[in-house]
Amino acid sequence: MNTIQIQSPYVIFLGDIEDKTLAKTGAGLAKWCQDDVLGQLRLPGCKVDLGLADISLDEAVANGAKSLVIGVATVGGSIHADWLPVFAKALDKGLDIVNGLHTDLATIPMLMAAQEHSAGRIINVRHVGRTLPIATGRKRTGLRLLTVGTDCAVGKKYTALELTRALNAKGIDATFRASGQTGIMIAGEGLPIDSIVSDFVSGASELLSPDNSAEHWDIIEGQGSLFNPSFSAVSMGLLHGSQPDAFILCHDIARERISTCPDYPIPDLQACIQLHLDCARIVNPQVRCVGVSVNTSSLDPGKRRDYLTRLQAELELPCVDPLIDGCEAFVTLIAKQFHQSETGKAHAES
C-alpha cells in the first residue's frame, strides 16, 4: 500500500470553490484530524466554509505550519490555474504541498521551479508508483466490510471510519482501509483506487485487504456507486476485489439525482441493496447487507427519527445516521451474524 506522512500542523486550501461537495477532502480532515489543522485558506469568491479559522500563508508560517493540504476534490481532479501562485509561494516558504488530485503538481513548470529552491516537497497522494497485479479471486482469511453508496459523496468514508471506531470499542478487531485520497491522508496509508488502470483495480483492492486473522475486520472505504455512470467501473472493481462478507449502503436523503449525471434519479434503496448483493455474490456467495447509513443533515430534527424508523421497518435492517446515532446498531448485527454462537465458535449466521 501507499504510505504518506503529512507534516503537521497544516492548513487546508479551499481555493475559490463554490460547492461544498467539492470540499470533501478538507471536510474529512477537519473532522478526523482536528488536532493537526491550523485553519483554512480561501481565495476571493470561495463560498465554502469548513468552520475553521481563515488564515493566510504568512500567518500559517508564523504559526508553525508545515504543510498546505489541497482540501478540494474537483471533478476529474483538475487544478485551477489561479491556484498555482499560492502553491508556489507555499513551496517558497518551505511548506509541503499535499495533493490529492489526479494532476501531478511536480510536472507543472512554476511549481518545479519553486521546489528546486525550497525545502518544501510536493506529495502526490493519488499516484500509485508501483506495479499492481490483476485480481486472483482467491478467498482471503479474515472478514471484510465494504461501504457502498447510492451515489458519490454520500458518507462512505465517514461511515467506514465511524464503524471501525465502534467495532474496536466493542472489542472486535477492525482496521480502516483507505481507497481514496482523503482516507489515505487520514489513515496514513491506502491505495487510491480511482487512479489505477482498470485491469488492475480489483487486484489493487485485494492488496488493500490482505489475509488476516479469522475474526479481524477490514472496513474498506467505498468509492463511487454502481448507479453512477461516471464512476461505476471503479465501484465494481473495488466490490469484486474487496470480496466483502458484508456491506453497508450509504445514502444522502437530500440527494434526488445522480451528482454527475442529473438525468439519472437516485435509485430505490431496496433495488440498490439487491444489485450489490447480486454483484458481490459473484466473488462471495455468503455476502449480506448489514445496514443503511443515512445522511439526515438536511432533515428537520423532528422528522429525522420518524424517517429512519419507517426506513428500518421497510428494509428490515438497521438504519442510522452514524454522525448522530453512532454505529452501535451495525455492530450489534455484525456481532450477531458473524461472531460468537451459542457454542462460542465464530460463525456467519445464515
Side-chain angles (χ1 to χ4, degrees):
M1 286 191 284
N2 286 8
T3 59
I4 67 165
Q5 184 175 8
I6 302 177
Q7 292 197 85
S8 61
Y10 51 78
V11 175
I12 295 173
F13 176 82
L14 296 177
D16 49 6
I17 61 170
E18 300 182 4
D19 183 353
K20 191 169 184 177
T21 61
L22 298 180
K24 63 180 184 178
T25 296
L29 293 170
K31 174 173 175 56
W32 296 97
C33 304
Q34 298 176 34
D35 293 342
D36 295 328
V37 179
L38 279 177
Q40 61 189 12
L41 195 162
R42 301 190 292 169
L43 299 180
C46 182
K47 296 181 180 178
V48 175
D49 187 351
L50 299 179
L52 302 171
D54 285 301
I55 191 169
S56 68
L57 273 181
D58 290 334
E59 291 168 335
V61 172
N63 282 278
K66 303 296 183 184
S67 306
L68 180 70
V69 179
I70 301 175
V72 180
T74 54
V75 176
S78 60
I79 295 288
H80 296 185
D82 57 353
W83 297 354
L84 297 180
V86 180
F87 299 160
K89 182 178 178 181
L91 288 169
D92 287 339
K93 290 181 174 295
L95 301 185
D96 289 347
I97 305 292
V98 182
N99 172 35
L101 299 173
H102 286 296
T103 302
D104 183 354
L105 297 187
T107 64
I108 296 175
M110 179 188 295
L111 303 185
M112 291 172 63
Q115 193 174 25
E116 285 180 3
H117 308 290
S118 169
R121 303 169 299 158
I122 293 173
I123 301 172
N124 289 307
V125 176
R126 232 163 174 165
H127 288 209
V128 178
R130 59 172 295 183
T131 301
L132 295 168
I134 62 168
T136 67
R138 179 182 67 84
K139 179 64 177 173
R140 305 186 297 286
T141 56
L143 295 162
R144 286 159 191 84
L145 182 145
L146 176 67
T147 54
V148 301
T150 54
D151 194 10
C152 301
V154 291
K156 296 182 289 291
K157 174 176 64 271
Y158 278 30
T159 300
L161 286 161
E162 288 281 4
L163 179 61
T164 302
R165 183 161 62 184
L167 286 166
N168 285 321
K170 293 293 184 181
I172 299 174
D173 192 20
T175 303
F176 170 71
R177 299 297 188 185
S179 63
Q181 71 274 18
T182 311
I184 293 171
M185 291 180 194
I186 293 168
E189 64 176 11
L191 282 171
I193 294 298
D194 66 358
S195 298
I196 293 168
V197 174
S198 58
D199 274 355
F200 306 105
V201 168
S202 294
S205 302
E206 290 183 351
L207 292 180
L208 191 62
S209 57
D211 287 307
N212 217 310
S213 57
E215 293 198 19
H216 175 275
W217 282 94
D218 274 345
I219 308 301
I220 303 162
E221 172 195 10
Q223 294 295 322
S225 170
L226 295 181
F227 288 85
N228 185 315
S230 302
F231 307 115
S232 54
V234 176
S235 308
M236 181 66 83
L238 180 57
L239 179 66
H240 283 169
S242 297
Q243 209 173 67
D245 299 281
F247 65 84
I248 289 174
L249 176 65
C250 302
H251 174 59
D252 183 348
I253 185 61
R255 196 77 59 86
E256 296 180 355
R257 316 294 296 181
I258 294 297
S259 56
T260 56
C261 303
D263 290 340
Y264 291 76
I266 291 293
D268 171 78
L269 297 188
Q270 187 64 67
C272 194
I273 290 170
Q274 190 58 53
L275 180 62
H276 281 89
L277 287 170
D278 291 342
C279 293
R281 282 172 179 158
I282 294 171
V283 292
N284 187 350
Q286 303 304 314
V287 66
R288 67 205 60 195
C289 180
V290 294
V292 180
S293 168
V294 187
N295 179 348
T296 61
S297 60
S298 63
L299 278 182
D300 182 278
K303 297 179 180 179
R304 191 185 74 83
R305 179 48 53 195
D306 287 344
Y307 169 80
L308 291 174
T309 299
R310 289 196 306 271
L311 187 63
Q312 184 160 309
E314 175 188 339
L315 299 177
E316 298 182 330
L317 288 167
C319 298
V320 302
D321 185 328
L323 297 188
I324 299 174
D325 306 310
C327 288
E328 286 73 15
F330 299 150
V331 173
T332 297
L333 185 57
I334 289 168
K336 177 183 178 183
Q337 293 194 349
F338 290 93
H339 291 281
Q340 295 301 322
S341 68
E342 292 179 359
T343 61
K345 295 181 180 179
H347 76 298
E349 190 179 84
S350 61

